[in-house]
Amino acid sequence: MSTPTEFGQRKLKVDPSAIPEARKAFEHALDEFDAKIRRAVDHLPTKPWAEDPISSETSKAFNEQTSDKALAALKFYREQLVGVISQLKMIEEQYRKVEGDNTAMWGKHQRDLG
């Protein structure tokens, strides 16, 4: 998938010992996003509120100029959350294979260098 130019992409650096909590935080954010946004998306595209020609034209213009971009941004944001969660799960699994469940060991190398 290509990244729309208006949406920037950021890199996330997480200390290995913080991975489980970071994953939980992103999962919580995704749950909240889904709960709140799904309700809001049900109201898009907007409908003519007064059921007259003026509100019909206004609603049409709003939908053409705004809702498509808003929905694209929301979809992209959700995909990014899902991607971060997937990457954190994969990294966490790799660390567990190497270090086991001893999460204190995950940050050991960082502490030794400090």
Side-chain angles (χ1 to χ4, degrees):
M1 178 185 136
S2 64
T3 303
T5 56
E6 64 264 35
F7 309 128
Q9 191 168 5
R10 306 286 188 265
K11 293 195 183 247
L12 176 68
K13 292 185 181 184
V14 179
D15 186 80
S17 62
I19 290 173
E21 288 302 314
R23 180 185 44 77
K24 288 177 190 173
F26 278 98
E27 288 171 343
H28 180 73
L30 179 61
D31 290 342
E32 283 190 351
F33 178 87
D34 283 343
K36 292 178 182 178
I37 297 303
R38 287 182 198 257
R39 284 192 307 256
V41 169
D42 288 342
H43 299 292
L44 292 175
T46 62
K47 300 183 179 35
W49 47 92
E51 297 184 13
D52 66 343
I54 297 206
S55 66
S56 179
E57 287 300 315
T58 303
S59 176
K60 180 181 175 187
F62 175 83
N63 289 329
E64 288 173 354
Q65 297 173 16
T66 306
S67 67
D68 288 344
K69 286 184 180 180
L71 289 173
L74 291 171
K75 179 181 177 191
F76 182 76
Y77 178 73
R78 188 181 189 287
E79 289 171 355
Q80 292 297 303
L81 284 174
V82 170
V84 168
I85 292 167
S86 295
Q87 288 177 340
L88 287 171
K89 282 180 181 178
M90 181 183 67
I91 293 167
E92 185 177 358
E93 287 173 10
Q94 289 173 347
Y95 274 109
R96 287 195 190 281
K97 285 179 185 175
V98 173
E99 302 292 348
D101 286 332
N102 186 1
T103 56
M105 290 291 293
W106 294 8
K108 179 181 182 298
H109 301 291
Q110 293 291 342
R111 287 190 300 273
D112 290 345
L113 295 174

